[in-house]
Amino acid sequence: MAQADIGQTIAKRRAEILKDWGHQLRDGGALSSGRLKEAELDTQVREFLDLFVQAVSTNEADTARKALRQNVAEVSRARAIQGFTPTETATFIFSLKQPLFDALTQEFGKDSAALIQGLLAVTEILDGLGLHSMETFQKSREEVIIRQQKEIAELSTPVVKLWDGILALPLIGTLDSERTQVVMENLLQSIVEHGADYAIIDITGVPTVDTLVAQHLLKTVAAARLMGADCIISGIRPQIAQTMVHLGVELNVVSKANLADALGAALRATGRTVATIKSASGGSALSKA
Amino acid sequence: MERIPILKMGRALLITIQVDMHDQMAIALEEDLTTRIAQTGAKGVLIDISSLEIVDSFIGRMLDNIAAVSRVLDAETVVVGMRPAVAITLVELGLTLQGVKTALNVERGFELISRRLAEIETVVVEIGAEDERSGD
């Protein structure tokens, strides 16, 4: 039996197969999560089956198959983004097997050799598409993860201006080499933009400081110095200070207990001071006006 | 061969590197600068590298060398205007230019040098005053 025969069989029993497949998908819970509308699923199912028939029946099988794979990729990508599980995504393809097998059995029931051949051919194509579907699904998820990583990296490294010529870099989270790179670039760029003399690196939010993190910090400090800005490190927590000493980590830079002290030191170094004014007696001096 | 001009500004020398330096040029610069410091008795050297986009370990070491030589001749080197990308590259290469002073731009670099010049002047004046007193 040629593949064209399979194509004809499917085309002939199209309505029946579509109904069966639809049932299979609904029983499998394709719609239960509410992420996919019934009409949407119907369109996907119909498009896929039409492309499938073309792929097995036309002479230009290559272009048709390419279109079919493209269709599978699109459906899988959409499901990955909508948050479907891998099983739910793969079921879209694999649940077509049963209806197709039924249709083939009814058509070639008497001719067992042809039936086996037909089943094998259909299985091969569907399995291939299933794998392709999984691959696309996985790839889409990875893209999402990479994008989120980038967003996190950018979000978590703001450089804030505390005063004319004084910048603060509040670090939160673990410092790996990739983040250090982003932090360093942001800081150096801000130093140029603001014409800063002092940069305060606050590590209150850094959970652990091992030799590697210390090295990353030192690199950042050295790069800032090359640009002509001095660095102050602040917010080293007591436990971290102990670990650092035990590990033999030495940060040969000015360090202050907290951000306030560091700001004070930077202000003094730039010839400024903070003074209390007497008139602020009682009540909030801050007004929203 | 192309040479980088060395400008004299009061008691300081100003070098602005406007082109991408190759090794020969760097060596020539080091020689020229040494001669000029000796000739003029300059107390400060300002190197503006704000146009420099590409650095390698050789250029990094040359900056270090220049600073060391100048120090021996009693002139202070200030490297100014380093680009962020260049700073990152030098740090990754392990060249932190420990003996060199840095500043964000020429203006600030000049302030640094002026401060040093002022210190030297004061010392001279004070000693002069002491001489007068002891002469009395």
Side-chain angles (χ1 to χ4, degrees):
Chain A
M1 187 182 80
Q3 283 203 346
D5 293 338
I6 305 174
Q8 275 172 13
T9 311
I10 300 172
K12 202 164 73 187
R13 296 172 185 269
R14 183 169 175 273
E16 196 184 317
I17 293 173
L18 277 178
K19 211 180 93 193
D20 274 1
W21 191 16
H23 277 308
Q24 290 267 356
L25 283 172
R26 282 180 187 79
D27 291 347
L31 294 170
S32 59
S33 59
R35 283 176 295 227
L36 201 61
K37 301 234 166 53
E38 189 146 6
E40 232 176 311
L41 183 67
D42 281 346
T43 326
Q44 284 177 357
V45 164
R46 217 166 298 132
E47 267 177 21
F48 178 84
L49 196 66
D50 290 347
L51 283 167
F52 188 83
V53 171
Q54 276 176 30
V56 290
S57 55
T58 50
N59 293 328
E60 294 163 53
D62 267 359
T63 32
R65 281 195 188 191
K66 221 172 262 172
L68 183 60
R69 285 169 76 86
Q70 187 105 33
N71 176 273
V72 170
E74 273 162 28
V75 170
S76 310
R77 191 169 303 129
R79 287 178 188 225
I81 292 166
Q82 282 166 336
F84 280 78
T85 65
T87 315
E88 282 166 342
T89 309
T91 309
F92 175 71
I93 306 284
F94 290 129
S95 60
L96 177 59
K97 270 188 184 178
Q98 197 59 49
L100 278 190
F101 287 178
D102 286 347
L104 288 174
T105 316
Q106 279 172 29
E107 189 76 17
F108 303 105
K110 295 143 273 173
D111 188 353
S112 58
L115 179 61
I116 290 173
Q117 223 175 8
L119 290 183
L120 272 179
V122 169
T123 310
E124 199 187 325
I125 299 174
L126 282 181
D127 285 354
L129 289 173
L131 287 176
H132 186 58
S133 158
M134 271 301 88
E135 205 173 304
T136 320
F137 178 85
Q138 198 75 14
K139 219 180 271 170
S140 312
R141 293 296 285 257
E142 267 159 29
E143 276 166 18
V144 172
I145 293 173
I146 289 171
R147 203 194 64 227
Q148 286 176 341
Q149 266 177 347
K150 261 189 207 152
E151 278 168 11
I152 292 173
E154 277 168 20
L155 276 180
S156 58
T157 52
V159 181
V160 287
K161 179 183 167 183
L162 288 184
W163 210 267
D164 274 342
I166 303 173
L167 295 178
L169 180 71
L171 288 179
I172 290 165
T174 318
L175 274 185
D176 55 14
S177 44
E178 212 166 294
R179 260 196 84 196
T180 314
Q181 190 77 16
V182 179
V183 167
M184 216 195 266
E185 278 168 19
N186 278 353
L187 178 65
L188 299 191
Q189 202 55 48
S190 307
I191 288 176
V192 176
E193 276 165 24
H194 294 99
D197 294 303
Y198 286 88
I200 301 169
I201 303 177
D202 185 74
I203 58 167
T204 316
V206 179
T208 48
V209 176
D210 54 13
T211 44
L212 206 62
V213 173
Q215 203 200 347
H216 288 148
L217 280 175
L218 286 179
K219 268 188 188 170
T220 311
V221 172
R225 197 194 73 88
L226 283 178
M227 305 264 312
D230 282 328
C231 280
I232 302 172
I233 290 190
S234 73
I236 302 179
R237 276 178 280 135
Q239 301 97 314
I240 290 181
Q242 277 186 353
T243 339
M244 280 167 70
V245 171
H246 287 161
L247 281 174
V249 176
E250 261 185 65
L251 291 174
N252 281 322
V253 283
V254 182
S255 71
K256 296 283 169 205
N258 50 44
L259 191 59
D261 283 354
L263 176 61
L267 283 173
R268 252 194 310 285
T270 50
R272 301 187 183 95
T273 180
V274 181
T276 316
I277 44 171
K278 276 178 191 154
S279 63
S281 53
S284 172
L286 289 175
S287 63
K288 282 182 183 170
Chain B
M1 196 184 70
E2 254 186 299
R3 275 178 188 271
I4 294 171
I6 301 172
L7 314 172
K8 183 170 175 294
M9 293 183 73
R11 300 189 72 184
L13 297 178
L14 174 65
I15 303 163
T16 55
I17 298 173
Q18 306 274 3
V19 288
D20 278 326
M21 278 217 285
H22 47 79
D23 296 0
Q24 281 306 318
M25 222 162 150
I27 295 169
L29 174 64
E30 197 180 320
E31 276 170 17
D32 288 353
L33 180 63
T34 321
T35 324
R36 283 299 291 274
I37 295 174
Q39 269 176 5
T40 58
K43 295 288 170 230
V45 177
L46 206 62
I47 307 179
D48 174 30
I49 57 167
S50 53
S51 312
L52 196 66
E53 286 183 24
I54 300 167
V55 284
D56 54 14
S57 54
F58 187 84
I59 303 292
R61 220 178 38 166
M62 183 221 57
L63 288 174
D64 244 346
N65 273 355
I66 287 184
V69 172
S70 310
R71 208 166 26 242
V72 173
L73 296 171
D74 192 27
E76 186 177 55
T77 310
V78 182
V79 172
V80 301
M82 191 181 291
R83 286 167 179 246
V86 171
I88 293 175
T89 312
L90 283 182
V91 170
E92 293 296 337
L93 286 171
L95 292 164
T96 49
L97 306 185
Q98 282 301 335
V100 186
K101 283 203 171 178
T102 50
L104 193 66
N105 49 37
V106 177
E107 198 184 348
R108 298 223 179 135
F110 227 87
E111 270 170 30
L112 271 181
I113 288 185
S114 310
R115 220 173 295 154
R116 177 175 146 91
L117 287 178
E119 270 170 30
I120 296 172
E121 300 278 314
T122 338
V123 173
V124 171
V125 170
E126 275 173 10
I127 293 173
E130 216 145 273
D131 277 353
E132 262 171 42
R133 225 175 296 146
S134 60
D136 283 346

